Amino acid sequence: MLTRRDMLKLIGSTAATSAFALTTQGMAAAVSSASGALVSHRPPPAKRKFTSAVVEQEIARIQSKIGDPELAWLFGNCYPNTLDTTVHLDTLNGKPDTFVVTGDIDAMWLRDSSAQVWPYLPLAAKDKSLRRLFQGLIRRQALCISIDPYANAFLPDPHGKTTLDWAQHDLTDMKPGVAERKWEIDSLCWPIRMMHGYWQATGDRTPFDDDWRASMHKVLATFREQQRKHGHGPYHFQRSSAIPTDTVPLGGYGNPARPVGLIFSMFRPSDDACIYPLFVPANAFAVVSLRQLAQMSRALHGDHAFAADCEALASEVETALQQHALIRDADGTDVWAYEVDGYGNQLFMDDANIPSLSAMAYLGFCKRDDARYQRTRTQAWSPRNPYFFSGTAAQGIGGPHEGLRMIWPMSIMVRALTSNDAGEIRQCLHWLKTTHAGTGFMHEAFDQDDPTHFTRPWFAWANSLFGELIVDLAGRHPDLLRRA
């Protein structure tokens, strides 16, 4: 049986398969051999899943600020990729419904779908069609959470059976509508981040109805349940696989950890199993999300008791992070651990997927210039991190998901998004511009010495994050883009 990793490697590990993938998406040729012009890789307008005049205006506005033609071309391809290729609009029970696939997998991850649309939030107030898209996605995500708050990925049909080959025989309490059931704290945090961002950007209360309230109560209950103060709770997961990180040990309940107030997570945002189940970046993300949820619940529904419960859990988790998630170095300084078990065992590494140690400032847990964060970020981008790779093509962070030597462009984007140093950002832009292997898009991962060896030619989250980075730099460092 093909695993998810096997399938993705078959469809996207070389420049040749990239050309095939672009053809199947109906995209134009990469570079005009006759004129040398950079030709758009977007689908023709009639074949785009979603169009917005406001988005098109934003593309033109940002491209006009970029001095490097290739960088401007990459932005034009990547920024609208989620809208062009992954968005499916419909109605469900008479209300807007939006289903967002991750790219080359026909399923919706709560994490990916939230991150994929994040760059369009600043434009939603100006565009009714974008607001309709977000309203449908918020409702769909609330439905998904109500179906199963422990699942990470869902099907278009909320009553269907998983179509993912690698998930067909998982030993877990599989529910209708669920594509994959890997418990990851961030699967519940990402939708809250997106929902809060939409509310802040538009003031629109429409999608935050009683169904939304019920799903958010499930979020809090699930986080509490996975503090495991009263046993391991109902979630368990096992998979027959040659890849150890695709399954969970000890009967599917995970390696032992002491209940210290942190939330247990069986998987990381990479969909790889945790070693120690107290996963620090996701707990930090939960602190931010719970406070955002409290703010929304008070303002939208006057739900003061629930808001207070959210804030109490956020404070408890934050205190537990300070007590159990710090590694003190020989020089007396401390850095954040990646995973801990509450017994004193700690793992330091970082993974390119978000949440990560490198992304703690990006997600709002701390400021960019926070001293502890800066120390941690520096260590994550060094040989101290076993998944930091440095080659002739680039430096970056990967993870066990695609193995050694494989740099994820997302890690380079996060480095730039969390930097105030123009030289560091310029270096990141150079790496991103020189490692797309002529495809015009960002990939999941590429070899540190050979960017033509890459995985996933159609990975919408990476494209959206690249677009987000360029828009961010147009505001923070316009001179840097003009001179790029």
Side-chain angles (χ1 to χ4, degrees), residues 395-449:
Q395 290 183 350
I397 295 171
H401 200 73
E402 290 300 340
L404 302 179
R405 297 176 52 91
M406 298 298 285
I407 293 170
W408 289 53
M410 283 174 49
S411 72
I412 301 173
M413 298 170 208
V414 167
R415 184 174 184 178
L417 282 162
T418 57
S419 177
N420 292 319
D421 183 281
E424 183 178 35
I425 296 169
R426 189 177 294 110
Q427 178 64 75
C428 290
L429 290 176
H430 173 76
W431 285 330
L432 294 168
K433 193 184 78 168
T434 56
T435 58
H436 63 87
T439 67
F441 291 95
M442 299 294 113
H443 305 132
E444 179 188 50
F446 63 86
D447 182 85
Q448 64 183 35
D449 296 322

Tab-separated table of all heavy atoms in Angstrom, residues 395-449:
chain	number	residue	atom	x	y	z
A	395	GLN	N	20.548	27.333	2.999
A	395	GLN	CA	20.453	26.868	4.375
A	395	GLN	C	18.981	26.882	4.768
A	395	GLN	O	18.222	27.758	4.331
A	395	GLN	CB	21.224	27.784	5.326
A	395	GLN	CG	22.729	27.732	5.203
A	395	GLN	CD	23.400	28.630	6.231
A	395	GLN	OE1	22.750	29.419	6.914
A	395	GLN	NE2	24.711	28.512	6.343
A	396	GLY	N	18.594	25.924	5.595
A	396	GLY	CA	17.213	25.902	6.036
A	396	GLY	C	16.954	24.753	6.981
A	396	GLY	O	17.839	23.952	7.287
A	397	ILE	N	15.726	24.676	7.429
A	397	ILE	CA	15.289	23.646	8.370
A	397	ILE	C	14.356	22.687	7.645
A	397	ILE	O	13.558	23.104	6.796
A	397	ILE	CB	14.591	24.289	9.582
A	397	ILE	CG1	15.601	25.141	10.368
A	397	ILE	CG2	13.965	23.235	10.493
A	397	ILE	CD1	14.980	25.986	11.458
A	398	GLY	N	14.472	21.415	7.964
A	398	GLY	CA	13.591	20.397	7.410
A	398	GLY	C	12.845	19.689	8.521
A	398	GLY	O	12.222	20.316	9.366
A	399	GLY	N	12.958	18.385	8.556
A	399	GLY	CA	12.289	17.590	9.574
A	399	GLY	C	12.275	16.136	9.157
A	399	GLY	O	12.633	15.794	8.023
A	400	PRO	N	11.838	15.252	10.051
A	400	PRO	CA	11.822	13.828	9.715
A	400	PRO	C	10.878	13.474	8.573
A	400	PRO	O	11.031	12.440	7.945
A	400	PRO	CB	11.379	13.153	11.019
A	400	PRO	CG	11.156	14.211	12.014
A	400	PRO	CD	11.459	15.540	11.427
A	401	HIS	N	9.886	14.322	8.302
A	401	HIS	CA	8.849	13.987	7.328
A	401	HIS	C	9.433	13.675	5.953
A	401	HIS	O	8.998	12.730	5.292
A	401	HIS	CB	7.843	15.136	7.221
A	401	HIS	CG	6.536	14.734	6.640
A	401	HIS	ND1	5.620	13.970	7.331
A	401	HIS	CD2	5.985	14.969	5.425
A	401	HIS	CE1	4.567	13.760	6.572
A	401	HIS	NE2	4.759	14.358	5.400
A	402	GLU	N	10.395	14.456	5.493
A	402	GLU	CA	11.033	14.187	4.204
A	402	GLU	C	12.502	13.789	4.354
A	402	GLU	O	13.191	13.583	3.358
A	402	GLU	CB	10.910	15.388	3.275
A	402	GLU	CG	9.489	15.639	2.787
A	402	GLU	CD	8.911	14.453	2.008
A	402	GLU	OE1	9.691	13.615	1.525
A	402	GLU	OE2	7.678	14.373	1.912
A	403	GLY	N	12.987	13.715	5.584
A	403	GLY	CA	14.295	13.156	5.832
A	403	GLY	C	15.439	14.151	5.761
A	403	GLY	O	15.244	15.355	5.611
A	404	LEU	N	16.635	13.618	5.871
A	404	LEU	CA	17.840	14.434	5.954
A	404	LEU	C	18.141	15.115	4.627
A	404	LEU	O	17.758	14.639	3.560
A	404	LEU	CB	19.018	13.559	6.378
A	404	LEU	CG	18.856	12.830	7.714
A	404	LEU	CD1	20.080	11.968	8.010
A	404	LEU	CD2	18.612	13.815	8.859
A	405	ARG	N	18.803	16.275	4.732
A	405	ARG	CA	19.246	17.087	3.593
A	405	ARG	C	18.118	17.883	2.946
A	405	ARG	O	18.378	18.755	2.115
A	405	ARG	CB	19.918	16.229	2.507
A	405	ARG	CG	21.179	15.513	2.910
A	405	ARG	CD	21.688	14.623	1.772
A	405	ARG	NE	21.809	15.374	0.521
A	405	ARG	CZ	22.905	16.004	0.125
A	405	ARG	NH1	23.989	15.975	0.902
A	405	ARG	NH2	22.940	16.639	-1.023
A	406	MET	N	16.873	17.622	3.295
A	406	MET	CA	15.741	18.237	2.601
A	406	MET	C	15.290	19.497	3.332
A	406	MET	O	14.722	19.445	4.426
A	406	MET	CB	14.596	17.244	2.469
A	406	MET	CG	14.947	16.015	1.647
A	406	MET	SD	15.393	16.406	-0.075
A	406	MET	CE	13.775	16.773	-0.760
A	407	ILE	N	15.555	20.637	2.718
A	407	ILE	CA	15.204	21.952	3.269
A	407	ILE	C	13.781	22.313	2.837
A	407	ILE	O	13.424	22.175	1.661
A	407	ILE	CB	16.189	23.025	2.770
A	407	ILE	CG1	17.593	22.779	3.330
A	407	ILE	CG2	15.701	24.432	3.121
A	407	ILE	CD1	18.666	23.644	2.696
A	408	TRP	N	12.990	22.794	3.784
A	408	TRP	CA	11.635	23.261	3.470
A	408	TRP	C	11.679	24.775	3.223
A	408	TRP	O	12.109	25.539	4.115
A	408	TRP	CB	10.685	22.956	4.620
A	408	TRP	CG	10.357	21.493	4.783
A	408	TRP	CD1	11.244	20.461	4.887
A	408	TRP	CD2	9.052	20.915	4.869
A	408	TRP	NE1	10.570	19.272	5.045
A	408	TRP	CE2	9.228	19.521	5.036
A	408	TRP	CE3	7.766	21.442	4.849
A	408	TRP	CZ2	8.155	18.653	5.165
A	408	TRP	CZ3	6.688	20.572	4.973
A	408	TRP	CH2	6.888	19.193	5.123
A	409	PRO	N	11.241	25.248	2.058
A	409	PRO	CA	11.193	26.695	1.832
A	409	PRO	C	10.413	27.457	2.901
A	409	PRO	O	10.731	28.608	3.206
A	409	PRO	CB	10.513	26.810	0.463
A	409	PRO	CG	10.848	25.533	-0.228
A	409	PRO	CD	10.862	24.491	0.851
A	410	MET	N	9.404	26.804	3.505
A	410	MET	CA	8.638	27.469	4.558
A	410	MET	C	9.546	27.943	5.688
A	410	MET	O	9.295	28.996	6.292
A	410	MET	CB	7.561	26.526	5.112
A	410	MET	CG	6.356	26.386	4.195
A	410	MET	SD	5.174	25.138	4.784
A	410	MET	CE	5.003	25.632	6.484
A	411	SER	N	10.578	27.185	5.997
A	411	SER	CA	11.464	27.602	7.090
A	411	SER	C	12.204	28.880	6.725
A	411	SER	O	12.421	29.751	7.576
A	411	SER	CB	12.462	26.479	7.415
A	411	SER	OG	13.449	26.326	6.394
A	412	ILE	N	12.576	29.014	5.463
A	412	ILE	CA	13.265	30.225	5.011
A	412	ILE	C	12.308	31.416	5.055
A	412	ILE	O	12.690	32.529	5.438
A	412	ILE	CB	13.828	30.011	3.595
A	412	ILE	CG1	14.809	28.826	3.577
A	412	ILE	CG2	14.503	31.277	3.085
A	412	ILE	CD1	15.279	28.427	2.187
A	413	MET	N	11.054	31.188	4.695
A	413	MET	CA	10.051	32.253	4.754
A	413	MET	C	9.820	32.713	6.190
A	413	MET	O	9.734	33.910	6.472
A	413	MET	CB	8.739	31.772	4.138
A	413	MET	CG	8.838	31.401	2.669
A	413	MET	SD	7.317	30.581	2.123
A	413	MET	CE	7.941	29.557	0.784
A	414	VAL	N	9.727	31.759	7.118
A	414	VAL	CA	9.536	32.116	8.530
A	414	VAL	C	10.742	32.895	9.043
A	414	VAL	O	10.591	33.860	9.806
A	414	VAL	CB	9.279	30.850	9.374
A	414	VAL	CG1	9.402	31.153	10.871
A	414	VAL	CG2	7.904	30.288	9.061
A	415	ARG	N	11.930	32.504	8.615
A	415	ARG	CA	13.124	33.248	9.037
A	415	ARG	C	13.030	34.702	8.596
A	415	ARG	O	13.345	35.625	9.364
A	415	ARG	CB	14.379	32.595	8.449
A	415	ARG	CG	15.673	33.247	8.927
A	415	ARG	CD	16.895	32.489	8.444
A	415	ARG	NE	18.125	33.069	8.980
A	415	ARG	CZ	19.341	32.589	8.755
A	415	ARG	NH1	19.489	31.518	7.982
A	415	ARG	NH2	20.404	33.169	9.285
A	416	ALA	N	12.591	34.929	7.370
A	416	ALA	CA	12.462	36.305	6.876
A	416	ALA	C	11.325	37.049	7.568
A	416	ALA	O	11.454	38.240	7.892
A	416	ALA	CB	12.243	36.292	5.368
A	417	LEU	N	10.214	36.361	7.803
A	417	LEU	CA	9.061	37.007	8.451
A	417	LEU	C	9.353	37.396	9.893
A	417	LEU	O	8.710	38.297	10.434
A	417	LEU	CB	7.851	36.067	8.405
A	417	LEU	CG	7.111	35.980	7.069
A	417	LEU	CD1	6.238	34.731	7.020
A	417	LEU	CD2	6.262	37.230	6.840
A	418	THR	N	10.313	36.722	10.523
A	418	THR	CA	10.623	37.012	11.929
A	418	THR	C	11.918	37.795	12.082
A	418	THR	O	12.470	37.890	13.183
A	418	THR	CB	10.718	35.703	12.735
A	418	THR	OG1	11.703	34.848	12.142
A	418	THR	CG2	9.373	34.990	12.771
A	419	SER	N	12.401	38.370	10.983
A	419	SER	CA	13.667	39.107	11.023
A	419	SER	C	13.441	40.595	10.815
A	419	SER	O	12.573	41.011	10.040
A	419	SER	CB	14.611	38.587	9.930
A	419	SER	OG	15.811	39.336	9.908
A	420	ASN	N	14.262	41.397	11.489
A	420	ASN	CA	14.318	42.840	11.252
A	420	ASN	C	15.613	43.243	10.542
A	420	ASN	O	15.851	44.420	10.310
A	420	ASN	CB	14.215	43.602	12.581
A	420	ASN	CG	12.840	43.461	13.206
A	420	ASN	OD1	11.827	43.509	12.523
A	420	ASN	ND2	12.809	43.276	14.526
A	421	ASP	N	16.422	42.249	10.199
A	421	ASP	CA	17.728	42.496	9.605
A	421	ASP	C	17.630	42.423	8.085
A	421	ASP	O	17.328	41.363	7.520
A	421	ASP	CB	18.722	41.463	10.123
A	421	ASP	CG	20.130	41.698	9.606
A	421	ASP	OD1	20.398	41.330	8.448
A	421	ASP	OD2	20.952	42.248	10.364
A	422	ALA	N	17.880	43.538	7.409
A	422	ALA	CA	17.718	43.594	5.952
A	422	ALA	C	18.639	42.601	5.245
A	422	ALA	O	18.245	41.991	4.245
A	422	ALA	CB	17.977	45.012	5.451
A	423	GLY	N	19.847	42.425	5.747
A	423	GLY	CA	20.775	41.493	5.122
A	423	GLY	C	20.282	40.060	5.222
A	423	GLY	O	20.397	39.279	4.259
A	424	GLU	N	19.767	39.695	6.381
A	424	GLU	CA	19.238	38.347	6.571
A	424	GLU	C	18.035	38.114	5.653
A	424	GLU	O	17.916	37.056	5.013
A	424	GLU	CB	18.836	38.152	8.035
A	424	GLU	CG	18.334	36.769	8.368
A	424	GLU	CD	17.996	36.611	9.842
A	424	GLU	OE1	17.515	37.586	10.464
A	424	GLU	OE2	18.207	35.504	10.371
A	425	ILE	N	17.143	39.086	5.566
A	425	ILE	CA	15.964	38.955	4.704
A	425	ILE	C	16.391	38.849	3.242
A	425	ILE	O	15.857	38.031	2.483
A	425	ILE	CB	15.012	40.149	4.912
A	425	ILE	CG1	14.471	40.160	6.348
A	425	ILE	CG2	13.860	40.096	3.916
A	425	ILE	CD1	13.748	41.432	6.722
A	426	ARG	N	17.348	39.663	2.834
A	426	ARG	CA	17.825	39.629	1.446
A	426	ARG	C	18.392	38.244	1.113
A	426	ARG	O	18.165	37.710	0.025
A	426	ARG	CB	18.886	40.707	1.235
A	426	ARG	CG	19.285	40.907	-0.229
A	426	ARG	CD	20.282	42.040	-0.375
A	426	ARG	NE	19.686	43.334	-0.035
A	426	ARG	CZ	19.988	44.048	1.049
A	426	ARG	NH1	20.892	43.597	1.919
A	426	ARG	NH2	19.411	45.210	1.270
A	427	GLN	N	19.122	37.650	2.044
A	427	GLN	CA	19.656	36.306	1.829
A	427	GLN	C	18.522	35.292	1.675
A	427	GLN	O	18.578	34.408	0.798
A	427	GLN	CB	20.563	35.903	2.982
A	427	GLN	CG	21.139	34.493	2.894
A	427	GLN	CD	22.061	34.312	1.705
A	427	GLN	OE1	23.196	34.777	1.709
A	427	GLN	NE2	21.588	33.644	0.660
A	428	CYS	N	17.497	35.411	2.500
A	428	CYS	CA	16.348	34.500	2.403
A	428	CYS	C	15.663	34.627	1.041
A	428	CYS	O	15.298	33.612	0.417
A	428	CYS	CB	15.350	34.788	3.524
A	428	CYS	SG	15.920	34.339	5.171
A	429	LEU	N	15.476	35.848	0.578
A	429	LEU	CA	14.859	36.052	-0.732
A	429	LEU	C	15.709	35.420	-1.837
A	429	LEU	O	15.176	34.825	-2.791
A	429	LEU	CB	14.660	37.535	-1.003
A	429	LEU	CG	13.594	38.253	-0.163
A	429	LEU	CD1	13.584	39.750	-0.478
A	429	LEU	CD2	12.212	37.649	-0.403
A	430	HIS	N	17.018	35.541	-1.709
A	430	HIS	CA	17.901	34.939	-2.707
A	430	HIS	C	17.728	33.420	-2.734
A	430	HIS	O	17.613	32.811	-3.813
A	430	HIS	CB	19.359	35.303	-2.403
A	430	HIS	CG	20.340	34.585	-3.278
A	430	HIS	ND1	20.568	34.935	-4.594
A	430	HIS	CD2	21.148	33.515	-3.028
A	430	HIS	CE1	21.468	34.124	-5.119
A	430	HIS	NE2	21.841	33.256	-4.189
A	431	TRP	N	17.706	32.796	-1.568
A	431	TRP	CA	17.528	31.344	-1.519
A	431	TRP	C	16.190	30.932	-2.125
A	431	TRP	O	16.107	29.951	-2.871
A	431	TRP	CB	17.610	30.859	-0.070
A	431	TRP	CG	19.000	30.835	0.482
A	431	TRP	CD1	20.165	30.623	-0.190
A	431	TRP	CD2	19.350	31.010	1.859
A	431	TRP	NE1	21.231	30.656	0.681
A	431	TRP	CE2	20.766	30.891	1.944
A	431	TRP	CE3	18.638	31.255	3.026
A	431	TRP	CZ2	21.459	31.012	3.153
A	431	TRP	CZ3	19.316	31.373	4.234
A	431	TRP	CH2	20.721	31.262	4.287
A	432	LEU	N	15.132	31.662	-1.801
A	432	LEU	CA	13.813	31.310	-2.325
A	432	LEU	C	13.756	31.484	-3.846
A	432	LEU	O	13.154	30.676	-4.557
A	432	LEU	CB	12.736	32.161	-1.644
A	432	LEU	CG	12.538	31.899	-0.152
A	432	LEU	CD1	11.670	32.977	0.468
A	432	LEU	CD2	11.926	30.518	0.085
A	433	LYS	N	14.406	32.527	-4.334
A	433	LYS	CA	14.371	32.817	-5.763
A	433	LYS	C	15.193	31.823	-6.576
A	433	LYS	O	14.886	31.561	-7.743
A	433	LYS	CB	14.885	34.235	-6.016
A	433	LYS	CG	14.610	34.764	-7.423
A	433	LYS	CD	15.217	36.130	-7.650
A	433	LYS	CE	16.717	36.029	-7.919
A	433	LYS	NZ	17.285	37.311	-8.417
A	434	THR	N	16.188	31.231	-5.966
A	434	THR	CA	17.109	30.366	-6.709
A	434	THR	C	16.871	28.876	-6.491
A	434	THR	O	17.665	28.053	-6.961
A	434	THR	CB	18.571	30.696	-6.349
A	434	THR	OG1	18.744	30.572	-4.924
A	434	THR	CG2	18.926	32.115	-6.778
A	435	THR	N	15.795	28.505	-5.793
A	435	THR	CA	15.570	27.085	-5.500
A	435	THR	C	14.200	26.584	-5.958
A	435	THR	O	13.796	25.490	-5.572
A	435	THR	CB	15.735	26.807	-3.989
A	435	THR	OG1	14.825	27.628	-3.251
A	435	THR	CG2	17.159	27.044	-3.536
A	436	HIS	N	13.488	27.352	-6.781
A	436	HIS	CA	12.178	26.874	-7.251
A	436	HIS	C	12.305	25.960	-8.458
A	436	HIS	O	11.303	25.452	-8.985
A	436	HIS	CB	11.245	28.049	-7.545
A	436	HIS	CG	11.716	28.947	-8.645
A	436	HIS	ND1	11.423	28.707	-9.966
A	436	HIS	CD2	12.459	30.086	-8.618
A	436	HIS	CE1	11.962	29.660	-10.712
A	436	HIS	NE2	12.604	30.509	-9.923
A	437	ALA	N	13.529	25.735	-8.908
A	437	ALA	CA	13.828	24.773	-9.975
A	437	ALA	C	13.112	25.093	-11.284
A	437	ALA	O	12.726	24.180	-12.029
A	437	ALA	CB	13.503	23.353	-9.519
A	438	GLY	N	12.897	26.369	-11.559
A	438	GLY	CA	12.273	26.777	-12.807
A	438	GLY	C	10.773	26.607	-12.856
A	438	GLY	O	10.148	26.910	-13.871
A	439	THR	N	10.166	26.146	-11.761
A	439	THR	CA	8.722	25.879	-11.769
A	439	THR	C	7.895	27.132	-11.520
A	439	THR	O	6.718	27.173	-11.859
A	439	THR	CB	8.358	24.845	-10.690
A	439	THR	OG1	8.584	25.411	-9.393
A	439	THR	CG2	9.186	23.573	-10.844
A	440	GLY	N	8.476	28.124	-10.859
A	440	GLY	CA	7.720	29.334	-10.529
A	440	GLY	C	6.879	29.212	-9.284
A	440	GLY	O	6.077	30.106	-8.988
A	441	PHE	N	7.048	28.119	-8.534
A	441	PHE	CA	6.273	27.900	-7.309
A	441	PHE	C	7.185	27.404	-6.187
A	441	PHE	O	8.284	26.906	-6.429
A	441	PHE	CB	5.156	26.873	-7.551
A	441	PHE	CG	4.063	27.377	-8.444
A	441	PHE	CD1	4.089	27.106	-9.801
A	441	PHE	CD2	3.020	28.143	-7.938
A	441	PHE	CE1	3.104	27.587	-10.643
A	441	PHE	CE2	2.031	28.631	-8.770
A	441	PHE	CZ	2.070	28.353	-10.128
A	442	MET	N	6.695	27.539	-4.976
A	442	MET	CA	7.389	27.009	-3.816
A	442	MET	C	7.023	25.529	-3.641
A	442	MET	O	5.922	25.116	-3.993
A	442	MET	CB	7.001	27.778	-2.544
A	442	MET	CG	7.360	29.260	-2.600
A	442	MET	SD	9.150	29.577	-2.648
A	442	MET	CE	9.329	30.258	-4.319
A	443	HIS	N	7.951	24.759	-3.086
A	443	HIS	CA	7.719	23.332	-2.915
A	443	HIS	C	7.677	22.971	-1.434
A	443	HIS	O	7.889	23.817	-0.567
A	443	HIS	CB	8.813	22.545	-3.635
A	443	HIS	CG	8.938	22.928	-5.075
A	443	HIS	ND1	10.144	23.217	-5.675
A	443	HIS	CD2	7.986	23.117	-6.022
A	443	HIS	CE1	9.936	23.540	-6.937
A	443	HIS	NE2	8.640	23.493	-7.168
A	444	GLU	N	7.412	21.716	-1.159
A	444	GLU	CA	7.446	21.236	0.216
A	444	GLU	C	8.891	21.230	0.717
A	444	GLU	O	9.192	21.806	1.761
A	444	GLU	CB	6.859	19.837	0.299
A	444	GLU	CG	6.863	19.241	1.691
A	444	GLU	CD	6.455	17.780	1.701
A	444	GLU	OE1	7.021	16.995	0.904
A	444	GLU	OE2	5.568	17.429	2.493
A	445	ALA	N	9.788	20.598	-0.027
A	445	ALA	CA	11.188	20.473	0.390
A	445	ALA	C	12.064	20.279	-0.841
A	445	ALA	O	11.604	19.771	-1.873
A	445	ALA	CB	11.352	19.290	1.352
A	446	PHE	N	13.332	20.667	-0.719
A	446	PHE	CA	14.296	20.438	-1.797
A	446	PHE	C	15.635	20.045	-1.187
A	446	PHE	O	15.948	20.389	-0.051
A	446	PHE	CB	14.446	21.682	-2.689
A	446	PHE	CG	14.985	22.904	-1.981
A	446	PHE	CD1	16.356	23.121	-1.846
A	446	PHE	CD2	14.117	23.843	-1.440
A	446	PHE	CE1	16.853	24.243	-1.181
A	446	PHE	CE2	14.600	24.972	-0.777
A	446	PHE	CZ	15.972	25.166	-0.651
A	447	ASP	N	16.433	19.333	-1.978
A	447	ASP	CA	17.741	18.893	-1.507
A	447	ASP	C	18.671	20.089	-1.304
A	447	ASP	O	18.698	21.021	-2.110
A	447	ASP	CB	18.358	17.930	-2.524
A	447	ASP	CG	19.704	17.397	-2.064
A	447	ASP	OD1	19.721	16.409	-1.316
A	447	ASP	OD2	20.727	17.999	-2.449
A	448	GLN	N	19.428	20.062	-0.234
A	448	GLN	CA	20.280	21.191	0.139
A	448	GLN	C	21.294	21.572	-0.942
A	448	GLN	O	21.735	22.716	-1.013
A	448	GLN	CB	21.018	20.881	1.435
A	448	GLN	CG	21.989	19.702	1.331
A	448	GLN	CD	22.666	19.371	2.646
A	448	GLN	OE1	22.075	19.499	3.713
A	448	GLN	NE2	23.922	18.951	2.575
A	449	ASP	N	21.636	20.620	-1.809
A	449	ASP	CA	22.605	20.870	-2.880
A	449	ASP	C	21.994	20.830	-4.280
A	449	ASP	O	22.662	21.226	-5.245
A	449	ASP	CB	23.741	19.830	-2.821
A	449	ASP	CG	24.566	19.932	-1.553
A	449	ASP	OD1	24.800	21.062	-1.092
A	449	ASP	OD2	24.957	18.878	-1.021
